[in-house]
């Protein structure tokens, strides 16, 4: 016994607070990965049970299922889980900046159940942002159980958020970037290691069960002609305009619907579900996250008219689902809208200049990144997400061009990003990551005058200041 | 501190039952997905068999959705899309499969077919060659041979006989084991202009199956075309004995027999027989210029009249120059009559064929 104690003693002593935090991050990643796998299975089973296995549900089911389950979801949200409304990104930010890392475990359960039901029954929302909140909520619960010190507890939610979104996208780099860019807002060495470990362990867990197949099977990409970049720039302009319209409409409709009498909160998701179902009678692709249809668009299955119709109708369906207070994420619908827009630009370009038009899969991918940059305003994430999801680095040039244009356009005409707008509407004063980044740049500008450069030399003990 | 260690230990230990639980759920989901995928694929097969390629494509798409890590349904989907003439979609699906398995024989063959239907010749040839060199799960030799045969047919359709011949000669070096396959290959070799290769292949086929009517008739036709009338008659008679000839082949046999009977230059003839045939040829040629009363043949008619008294077996036996004159007249008369007045009697046509083999004087 004495001998065992003498062996474990150094180990215990060696496990400092920092190392414990990293170990907890790995465990959070594993549990988040498991939770996200369970979440995805739940969505799939609910979909199979309620809508059947066909990708084109029977008309009656398409109409009734989203609306009736909307009633159930609304009752659950209003009566049992009021904190689960919305996507989950702002709630995670609120946990970091306002509630010292606290997210009620009840919220995790509520998010899981209501989102699985809403998305599985065909509401036009996605599972990624809820996965982010589920991960953050699990992390928060673990952190509290472990009695982590307050400064650690605050950062545990973003660590879980990274794990959740990494498992949902099966993309660790995207997850880390998004959490740094949109939730934490700065590169902090103290938390970066934990975020990376959580994201990686969560993706490993998710892939253990669901395989390492990429989210999309992307056909080979190559730039056919330099002039094609003009089409990508056009995609950026149209994508930026569409993003702007989407954010503005959500920004206008959401507070108005929230201001309606409380009894309407019980029926708003049902009405949204009815609208989605009505659209689905002709275009069943708008139901749920719609990844399988992005894959179809990527494989040139739709003509330009269908692509434009899907782009606009998905935007309508998502707006209805989201502003009605139905819990669910905006990532997948954003990617869907962008994918269809990209496909439409390619299809039209093929009509005008068939000789210089590349494969449609590339435009679909770039479109996804464009809308992500325009609506969610996370430019770095939008670029790397496409590269990571496609597994094709050569696509980075059109992605950067299109995303940057969409991002700048969106910023020019809409001061606040969607998440900032939503938090302001909810009366939660969360820091704007965009403004924080700009503030940092301004601060750096003040601290280091451009006229001087501080140069550290290996053989000199003190820094030497050089004039320019 | 104690509580933290306990919670940490519980978290570590809890991973095991949590993994077990999710593993059970994932296994159940996988089984369910597989079953759904199989059902949809079956429906796709039925629709494809019934000629409803569009419906089949939808079914395979759904099947693929439930079995994402299996390329089978995607390949079926691509084939249904090809059948539905939705070629760009089919190509996109196949390109995705190709991306993961660029050496797959089936995928390359399907891509080749899509490119061939879109008349993208160089792409089609590239994919056909990739299919020929690619990996096949079963009967690799047969599949590669079939792919090469398909490529050769495609090239012949495009009029590229040279390239087609290259592919067919490669096939002839290792021909299909079944006789019908060898005969088909011989037919393609003929189309590509490789008559001798085709004859070698047919001779081999006839050694294996001496009573094969198709092989014998084809060999007879080839020999007749290249002017080897003796072998042509042998093959065609063999075909007739084995199972009968078509009307065209009967006519060909008749012509070949006439050629062999009329040709004054045939090998192994006695002098007397050669002279007899020369006289007979003169008679046929005289009749030819007689039936064709155009002014252009006036000189030939004059020449006929000058030669006529000397063209007897006895006269010709002692006058080799007149034999040469007579045969030159016959060749010129047959050609001119044919050119000005069309085909004449069967003997006239047969003699013309026989004279086409003579060296030009």
């Amino acid at each position: 016994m004495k001998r065992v104690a003498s062996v474990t003693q150094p180990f215990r002593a060696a496990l400092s607070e920092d190392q414990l935090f990293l170990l907890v991050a790995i465990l959070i990643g594993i549990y988040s990965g498991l939770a996200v796998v369970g979440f995805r299975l739940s969505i799939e089973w609910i979909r199979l049970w309620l809508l059947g296995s066909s990708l084109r549900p029977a008309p009656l089911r398409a109409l009734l299922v989203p609306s009736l389950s909307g009633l159930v979801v609304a009752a659950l949200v209003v009566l049992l889980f009021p904190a689960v409304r919305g996507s989950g990104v702002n709630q995670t930010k609120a946990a970091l900046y306002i509630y010292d890392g606290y997210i009620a475990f009840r919220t995790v359960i509520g998010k899981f159940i209501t989102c699985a039901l809403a998305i599985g029954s065909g509401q036009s929302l996605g599972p990624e942002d809820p996965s982010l909140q589920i991960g953050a909520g699990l992390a928060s619960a673990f952190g509290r159980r472990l009695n982590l010190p307050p400064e650690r507890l605050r950062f545990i939610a973003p660590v879980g958020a990274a794990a959740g979104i990494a498992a949902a996208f099966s993309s660790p780099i995207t997850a880390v970037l998004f959490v740094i860019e949109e939730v934490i807002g700065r590169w902090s060495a103290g938390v970066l290691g934990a975020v990376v470990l959580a994201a990686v362990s969560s993706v490993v867990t998710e892939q253990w069960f669901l395989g390492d197949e990429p989210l999309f099977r992307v056909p080979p990409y190559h730039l056919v002609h330099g002039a094609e970049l003009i089409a990508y720039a056009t995609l950026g302009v149209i994508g930026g305009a569409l993003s702007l319209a989407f954010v503005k409409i959500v920004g206008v409709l959401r507070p108005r619907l929230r201001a309606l009498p409380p009894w309407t909160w019980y029926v708003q998701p049902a009405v949204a579900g009815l609208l989605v179902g009505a659209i689905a009678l002709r275009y069943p692709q708008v139901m749920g996250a719609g990844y399988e249809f992005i894959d179809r668009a990527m494989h040139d299955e739709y003509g330009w008219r269908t692509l434009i119709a899907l782009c606009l109708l998905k935007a309508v369906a998502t707006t209805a689902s989201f502003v009605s207070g139905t819990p669910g994420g905006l990532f997948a619908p954003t990617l869907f809208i962008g994918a269809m827009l990209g496909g439409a630009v390619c299809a039209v370009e093929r009509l005008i200049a068939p000789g210089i038009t590349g494969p449609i899969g590339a435009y679909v991918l770039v479109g996804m990144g464009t809308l992500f940059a325009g609506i969610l305003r996370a430019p770095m994430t939008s670029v790397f997400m496409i590269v990571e999801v496609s597994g094709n680095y050569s696509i980075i040039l059109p992605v950067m061009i299109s995303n940057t244009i969409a991002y700048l356009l969106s910023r020019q005409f809409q001061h606040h990003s969607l998440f900032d707008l939503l938090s302001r509407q909810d009366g939660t004063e969360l820091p704007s990551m965009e403004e924080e980044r700009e503030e940092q740049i301004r601060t750096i500008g003040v601290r280091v005058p451009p006229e001087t450069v501080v140069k550290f030399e290996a053989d000199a003990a003190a820094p030497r200041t050089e004039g320019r | 501190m104690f509580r933290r260690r306990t919670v940490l230990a519980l978290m570590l230990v809890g991973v095991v039952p949590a993994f077990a639980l999710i593993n059970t759920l994932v296994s159940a989901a996988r089984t369910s997905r597989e079953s759904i995928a199989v059902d949809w694929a079956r429906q796709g097969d039925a629709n494809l068999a019934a000629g409803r390629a569009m419906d089949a494509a939808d079914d395979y798409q759904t099947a693929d959705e439930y079995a994402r890590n299996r390329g089978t349904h995607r390949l079926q989907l691509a084939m249904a899309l090809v059948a539905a003439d939705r070629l760009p979609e089919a190509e996109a699906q196949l390109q995705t499969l190709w991306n993961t398995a660029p050496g797959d024989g089936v995928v390359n063959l399907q891509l080749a077919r899509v490119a061939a239907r879109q008349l993208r010749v160089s792409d089609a040839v590239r994919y056909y060659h990739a299919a020929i060199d690619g990996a096949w799960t079963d009967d690799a030799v047969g599949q590669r041979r079939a792919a090469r045969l398909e490529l050769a047919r495609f090239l012949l359709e495009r009029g590229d006989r040279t390239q087609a011949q290259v592919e067919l000669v490669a096939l002839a070096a290792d021909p299909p084991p079944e006789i019908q396959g060898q005969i088909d290959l011989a037919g393609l070799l003929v189309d590509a202009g490789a008559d001798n290769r085709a004859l070698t292949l047919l001779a081999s086929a006839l050694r294996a199956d001496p009573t094969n009517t198709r092989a014998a008739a084809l060999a007879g036709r080839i020999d007749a075309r290249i002017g080897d009338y003796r072998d042509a008659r042998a093959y065609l008679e063999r075909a007739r004995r084995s199972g009968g000839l078509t009307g065209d082949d009967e006519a060909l046999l008749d012509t070949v027999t006439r050629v062999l009977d009329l040709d004054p230059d045939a090998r192994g003839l006695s002098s007397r027989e050669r002279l007899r045939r020369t006289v007979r040829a003169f008679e046929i040629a005289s009749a030819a210029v007689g039936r064709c009363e155009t002014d252009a043949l006036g000189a030939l008619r004059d020449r006929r009249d000058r030669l006529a008294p000397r063209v007897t077996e006895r006269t010709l036996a002692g006058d080799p120059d007149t034999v040469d004159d007579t045969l030159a007249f016959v060749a010129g008369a047959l050609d001119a009559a044919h050119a000005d007045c069309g085909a004449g009697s069967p003997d006239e046509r047969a003699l013309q064929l026989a004279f086409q083999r003579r060296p030009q004087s």
Side-chain angles (χ1 to χ4, degrees), chain A residues 407-426:
Chain A
Y407 174 70
L408 292 176
L409 253 176
S410 178
R411 264 192 53 156
Q412 180 69 31
F413 296 103
Q414 169 71 37
H415 183 63
H416 298 295
S417 74
L418 179 63
F419 289 131
D420 292 343
L421 188 71
L422 298 177
S423 72
R424 276 161 209 270
Q425 287 179 352
D426 292 341

PDB file of all heavy atoms in Angstrom, chain A residues 407-426:
ATOM      1  N   TYR A 407     -18.421  39.211 -47.252  1.00  0.00           N
ATOM      2  CA  TYR A 407     -18.219  39.699 -45.887  1.00  0.00           C
ATOM      3  C   TYR A 407     -18.196  41.229 -45.867  1.00  0.00           C
ATOM      4  O   TYR A 407     -18.877  41.862 -45.044  1.00  0.00           O
ATOM      5  CB  TYR A 407     -16.909  39.122 -45.352  1.00  0.00           C
ATOM      6  CG  TYR A 407     -16.504  39.645 -43.999  1.00  0.00           C
ATOM      7  CD1 TYR A 407     -17.222  39.280 -42.859  1.00  0.00           C
ATOM      8  CD2 TYR A 407     -15.416  40.495 -43.848  1.00  0.00           C
ATOM      9  CE1 TYR A 407     -16.854  39.757 -41.609  1.00  0.00           C
ATOM     10  CE2 TYR A 407     -15.044  40.977 -42.607  1.00  0.00           C
ATOM     11  CZ  TYR A 407     -15.760  40.608 -41.485  1.00  0.00           C
ATOM     12  OH  TYR A 407     -15.405  41.082 -40.263  1.00  0.00           O
ATOM     13  N   LEU A 408     -17.439  41.813 -46.791  1.00  0.00           N
ATOM     14  CA  LEU A 408     -17.322  43.275 -46.809  1.00  0.00           C
ATOM     15  C   LEU A 408     -18.658  43.928 -47.153  1.00  0.00           C
ATOM     16  O   LEU A 408     -19.032  44.936 -46.541  1.00  0.00           O
ATOM     17  CB  LEU A 408     -16.247  43.705 -47.812  1.00  0.00           C
ATOM     18  CG  LEU A 408     -14.811  43.323 -47.417  1.00  0.00           C
ATOM     19  CD1 LEU A 408     -13.834  43.699 -48.526  1.00  0.00           C
ATOM     20  CD2 LEU A 408     -14.413  44.004 -46.111  1.00  0.00           C
ATOM     21  N   LEU A 409     -19.369  43.339 -48.097  1.00  0.00           N
ATOM     22  CA  LEU A 409     -20.684  43.881 -48.468  1.00  0.00           C
ATOM     23  C   LEU A 409     -21.634  43.835 -47.278  1.00  0.00           C
ATOM     24  O   LEU A 409     -22.334  44.804 -46.969  1.00  0.00           O
ATOM     25  CB  LEU A 409     -21.271  43.043 -49.599  1.00  0.00           C
ATOM     26  CG  LEU A 409     -21.309  43.655 -50.979  1.00  0.00           C
ATOM     27  CD1 LEU A 409     -21.831  42.641 -51.967  1.00  0.00           C
ATOM     28  CD2 LEU A 409     -22.195  44.892 -50.984  1.00  0.00           C
ATOM     29  N   SER A 410     -21.639  42.683 -46.626  1.00  0.00           N
ATOM     30  CA  SER A 410     -22.533  42.510 -45.479  1.00  0.00           C
ATOM     31  C   SER A 410     -22.196  43.514 -44.381  1.00  0.00           C
ATOM     32  O   SER A 410     -23.070  44.113 -43.769  1.00  0.00           O
ATOM     33  CB  SER A 410     -22.401  41.070 -44.981  1.00  0.00           C
ATOM     34  OG  SER A 410     -23.199  40.874 -43.861  1.00  0.00           O
ATOM     35  N   ARG A 411     -20.910  43.699 -44.160  1.00  0.00           N
ATOM     36  CA  ARG A 411     -20.479  44.644 -43.110  1.00  0.00           C
ATOM     37  C   ARG A 411     -20.807  46.082 -43.470  1.00  0.00           C
ATOM     38  O   ARG A 411     -21.135  46.895 -42.623  1.00  0.00           O
ATOM     39  CB  ARG A 411     -18.962  44.527 -42.934  1.00  0.00           C
ATOM     40  CG  ARG A 411     -18.589  43.614 -41.822  1.00  0.00           C
ATOM     41  CD  ARG A 411     -17.140  43.787 -41.543  1.00  0.00           C
ATOM     42  NE  ARG A 411     -16.820  45.201 -41.323  1.00  0.00           N
ATOM     43  CZ  ARG A 411     -15.780  45.618 -40.636  1.00  0.00           C
ATOM     44  NH1 ARG A 411     -14.968  44.759 -40.097  1.00  0.00           N
ATOM     45  NH2 ARG A 411     -15.541  46.889 -40.489  1.00  0.00           N
ATOM     46  N   GLN A 412     -20.680  46.376 -44.752  1.00  0.00           N
ATOM     47  CA  GLN A 412     -20.891  47.751 -45.203  1.00  0.00           C
ATOM     48  C   GLN A 412     -22.323  48.220 -44.921  1.00  0.00           C
ATOM     49  O   GLN A 412     -22.545  49.345 -44.514  1.00  0.00           O
ATOM     50  CB  GLN A 412     -20.597  47.829 -46.715  1.00  0.00           C
ATOM     51  CG  GLN A 412     -20.768  49.188 -47.342  1.00  0.00           C
ATOM     52  CD  GLN A 412     -19.710  50.171 -46.860  1.00  0.00           C
ATOM     53  OE1 GLN A 412     -18.579  49.773 -46.558  1.00  0.00           O
ATOM     54  NE2 GLN A 412     -20.082  51.444 -46.742  1.00  0.00           N
ATOM     55  N   PHE A 413     -23.266  47.303 -45.115  1.00  0.00           N
ATOM     56  CA  PHE A 413     -24.668  47.721 -45.021  1.00  0.00           C
ATOM     57  C   PHE A 413     -25.390  47.174 -43.795  1.00  0.00           C
ATOM     58  O   PHE A 413     -26.570  47.408 -43.618  1.00  0.00           O
ATOM     59  CB  PHE A 413     -25.411  47.290 -46.293  1.00  0.00           C
ATOM     60  CG  PHE A 413     -24.885  47.962 -47.524  1.00  0.00           C
ATOM     61  CD1 PHE A 413     -24.053  47.288 -48.398  1.00  0.00           C
ATOM     62  CD2 PHE A 413     -25.187  49.294 -47.787  1.00  0.00           C
ATOM     63  CE1 PHE A 413     -23.541  47.908 -49.520  1.00  0.00           C
ATOM     64  CE2 PHE A 413     -24.690  49.912 -48.917  1.00  0.00           C
ATOM     65  CZ  PHE A 413     -23.859  49.235 -49.788  1.00  0.00           C
ATOM     66  N   GLN A 414     -24.715  46.401 -42.988  1.00  0.00           N
ATOM     67  CA  GLN A 414     -25.337  45.882 -41.769  1.00  0.00           C
ATOM     68  C   GLN A 414     -24.279  45.976 -40.671  1.00  0.00           C
ATOM     69  O   GLN A 414     -23.314  45.204 -40.672  1.00  0.00           O
ATOM     70  CB  GLN A 414     -25.779  44.420 -41.998  1.00  0.00           C
ATOM     71  CG  GLN A 414     -26.203  43.664 -40.761  1.00  0.00           C
ATOM     72  CD  GLN A 414     -27.526  44.141 -40.208  1.00  0.00           C
ATOM     73  OE1 GLN A 414     -28.438  44.491 -40.953  1.00  0.00           O
ATOM     74  NE2 GLN A 414     -27.631  44.204 -38.881  1.00  0.00           N
ATOM     75  N   HIS A 415     -24.491  46.921 -39.756  1.00  0.00           N
ATOM     76  CA  HIS A 415     -23.438  47.196 -38.781  1.00  0.00           C
ATOM     77  C   HIS A 415     -23.130  45.983 -37.909  1.00  0.00           C
ATOM     78  O   HIS A 415     -21.968  45.649 -37.684  1.00  0.00           O
ATOM     79  CB  HIS A 415     -23.841  48.379 -37.906  1.00  0.00           C
ATOM     80  CG  HIS A 415     -22.765  48.761 -36.911  1.00  0.00           C
ATOM     81  ND1 HIS A 415     -21.531  49.214 -37.317  1.00  0.00           N
ATOM     82  CD2 HIS A 415     -22.744  48.710 -35.567  1.00  0.00           C
ATOM     83  CE1 HIS A 415     -20.797  49.444 -36.243  1.00  0.00           C
ATOM     84  NE2 HIS A 415     -21.507  49.140 -35.170  1.00  0.00           N
ATOM     85  N   HIS A 416     -24.202  45.327 -37.420  1.00  0.00           N
ATOM     86  CA  HIS A 416     -23.982  44.204 -36.509  1.00  0.00           C
ATOM     87  C   HIS A 416     -24.119  42.884 -37.235  1.00  0.00           C
ATOM     88  O   HIS A 416     -24.967  42.732 -38.110  1.00  0.00           O
ATOM     89  CB  HIS A 416     -24.992  44.244 -35.358  1.00  0.00           C
ATOM     90  CG  HIS A 416     -24.869  45.489 -34.526  1.00  0.00           C
ATOM     91  ND1 HIS A 416     -23.758  45.761 -33.781  1.00  0.00           N
ATOM     92  CD2 HIS A 416     -25.719  46.527 -34.335  1.00  0.00           C
ATOM     93  CE1 HIS A 416     -23.924  46.922 -33.169  1.00  0.00           C
ATOM     94  NE2 HIS A 416     -25.109  47.412 -33.496  1.00  0.00           N
ATOM     95  N   SER A 417     -23.298  41.915 -36.826  1.00  0.00           N
ATOM     96  CA  SER A 417     -23.448  40.572 -37.392  1.00  0.00           C
ATOM     97  C   SER A 417     -24.734  39.952 -36.844  1.00  0.00           C
ATOM     98  O   SER A 417     -25.344  40.463 -35.897  1.00  0.00           O
ATOM     99  CB  SER A 417     -22.254  39.698 -37.003  1.00  0.00           C
ATOM    100  OG  SER A 417     -22.356  39.326 -35.649  1.00  0.00           O
ATOM    101  N   LEU A 418     -25.150  38.857 -37.427  1.00  0.00           N
ATOM    102  CA  LEU A 418     -26.422  38.234 -37.033  1.00  0.00           C
ATOM    103  C   LEU A 418     -26.432  37.899 -35.543  1.00  0.00           C
ATOM    104  O   LEU A 418     -27.399  38.202 -34.829  1.00  0.00           O
ATOM    105  CB  LEU A 418     -26.653  36.970 -37.864  1.00  0.00           C
ATOM    106  CG  LEU A 418     -27.930  36.213 -37.539  1.00  0.00           C
ATOM    107  CD1 LEU A 418     -29.170  37.051 -37.826  1.00  0.00           C
ATOM    108  CD2 LEU A 418     -28.002  34.915 -38.331  1.00  0.00           C
ATOM    109  N   PHE A 419     -25.356  37.292 -35.070  1.00  0.00           N
ATOM    110  CA  PHE A 419     -25.336  36.888 -33.657  1.00  0.00           C
ATOM    111  C   PHE A 419     -25.363  38.110 -32.738  1.00  0.00           C
ATOM    112  O   PHE A 419     -26.016  38.106 -31.694  1.00  0.00           O
ATOM    113  CB  PHE A 419     -24.115  36.010 -33.366  1.00  0.00           C
ATOM    114  CG  PHE A 419     -24.209  34.647 -33.986  1.00  0.00           C
ATOM    115  CD1 PHE A 419     -23.164  34.128 -34.730  1.00  0.00           C
ATOM    116  CD2 PHE A 419     -25.356  33.876 -33.834  1.00  0.00           C
ATOM    117  CE1 PHE A 419     -23.261  32.879 -35.303  1.00  0.00           C
ATOM    118  CE2 PHE A 419     -25.456  32.605 -34.419  1.00  0.00           C
ATOM    119  CZ  PHE A 419     -24.401  32.121 -35.154  1.00  0.00           C
ATOM    120  N   ASP A 420     -24.643  39.166 -33.121  1.00  0.00           N
ATOM    121  CA  ASP A 420     -24.668  40.396 -32.313  1.00  0.00           C
ATOM    122  C   ASP A 420     -26.074  40.992 -32.299  1.00  0.00           C
ATOM    123  O   ASP A 420     -26.569  41.440 -31.260  1.00  0.00           O
ATOM    124  CB  ASP A 420     -23.688  41.432 -32.885  1.00  0.00           C
ATOM    125  CG  ASP A 420     -22.252  40.986 -32.701  1.00  0.00           C
ATOM    126  OD1 ASP A 420     -22.030  40.087 -31.879  1.00  0.00           O
ATOM    127  OD2 ASP A 420     -21.378  41.530 -33.397  1.00  0.00           O
ATOM    128  N   LEU A 421     -26.686  40.964 -33.463  1.00  0.00           N
ATOM    129  CA  LEU A 421     -28.036  41.512 -33.598  1.00  0.00           C
ATOM    130  C   LEU A 421     -29.010  40.755 -32.686  1.00  0.00           C
ATOM    131  O   LEU A 421     -29.821  41.356 -31.967  1.00  0.00           O
ATOM    132  CB  LEU A 421     -28.476  41.382 -35.055  1.00  0.00           C
ATOM    133  CG  LEU A 421     -29.768  42.060 -35.458  1.00  0.00           C
ATOM    134  CD1 LEU A 421     -29.593  43.560 -35.460  1.00  0.00           C
ATOM    135  CD2 LEU A 421     -30.179  41.593 -36.847  1.00  0.00           C
ATOM    136  N   LEU A 422     -28.888  39.437 -32.705  1.00  0.00           N
ATOM    137  CA  LEU A 422     -29.790  38.611 -31.895  1.00  0.00           C
ATOM    138  C   LEU A 422     -29.570  38.863 -30.408  1.00  0.00           C
ATOM    139  O   LEU A 422     -30.526  38.945 -29.629  1.00  0.00           O
ATOM    140  CB  LEU A 422     -29.585  37.118 -32.214  1.00  0.00           C
ATOM    141  CG  LEU A 422     -29.871  36.685 -33.653  1.00  0.00           C
ATOM    142  CD1 LEU A 422     -29.555  35.207 -33.844  1.00  0.00           C
ATOM    143  CD2 LEU A 422     -31.325  36.947 -34.020  1.00  0.00           C
ATOM    144  N   SER A 423     -28.309  38.986 -30.018  1.00  0.00           N
ATOM    145  CA  SER A 423     -28.054  39.205 -28.589  1.00  0.00           C
ATOM    146  C   SER A 423     -28.575  40.571 -28.148  1.00  0.00           C
ATOM    147  O   SER A 423     -29.092  40.722 -27.053  1.00  0.00           O
ATOM    148  CB  SER A 423     -26.561  39.059 -28.278  1.00  0.00           C
ATOM    149  OG  SER A 423     -25.854  40.149 -28.799  1.00  0.00           O
ATOM    150  N   ARG A 424     -28.476  41.565 -29.019  1.00  0.00           N
ATOM    151  CA  ARG A 424     -29.014  42.887 -28.685  1.00  0.00           C
ATOM    152  C   ARG A 424     -30.533  42.831 -28.575  1.00  0.00           C
ATOM    153  O   ARG A 424     -31.126  43.459 -27.692  1.00  0.00           O
ATOM    154  CB  ARG A 424     -28.613  43.908 -29.752  1.00  0.00           C
ATOM    155  CG  ARG A 424     -27.243  44.482 -29.518  1.00  0.00           C
ATOM    156  CD  ARG A 424     -26.646  45.110 -30.758  1.00  0.00           C
ATOM    157  NE  ARG A 424     -25.207  45.014 -30.710  1.00  0.00           N
ATOM    158  CZ  ARG A 424     -24.425  45.923 -30.168  1.00  0.00           C
ATOM    159  NH1 ARG A 424     -24.945  47.009 -29.648  1.00  0.00           N
ATOM    160  NH2 ARG A 424     -23.117  45.775 -30.140  1.00  0.00           N
ATOM    161  N   GLN A 425     -31.152  42.075 -29.490  1.00  0.00           N
ATOM    162  CA  GLN A 425     -32.613  41.942 -29.423  1.00  0.00           C
ATOM    163  C   GLN A 425     -33.049  41.261 -28.131  1.00  0.00           C
ATOM    164  O   GLN A 425     -34.110  41.550 -27.591  1.00  0.00           O
ATOM    165  CB  GLN A 425     -33.120  41.122 -30.622  1.00  0.00           C
ATOM    166  CG  GLN A 425     -33.073  41.877 -31.933  1.00  0.00           C
ATOM    167  CD  GLN A 425     -33.562  41.039 -33.095  1.00  0.00           C
ATOM    168  OE1 GLN A 425     -33.804  39.852 -32.951  1.00  0.00           O
ATOM    169  NE2 GLN A 425     -33.677  41.656 -34.258  1.00  0.00           N
ATOM    170  N   ASP A 426     -32.191  40.345 -27.649  1.00  0.00           N
ATOM    171  CA  ASP A 426     -32.535  39.616 -26.423  1.00  0.00           C
ATOM    172  C   ASP A 426     -32.168  40.423 -25.174  1.00  0.00           C
ATOM    173  O   ASP A 426     -32.340  39.945 -24.041  1.00  0.00           O
ATOM    174  CB  ASP A 426     -31.805  38.268 -26.387  1.00  0.00           C
ATOM    175  CG  ASP A 426     -32.327  37.336 -27.468  1.00  0.00           C
ATOM    176  OD1 ASP A 426     -33.443  37.584 -27.969  1.00  0.00           O
ATOM    177  OD2 ASP A 426     -31.627  36.376 -27.826  1.00  0.00           O
TER     178      ASP A 426
END
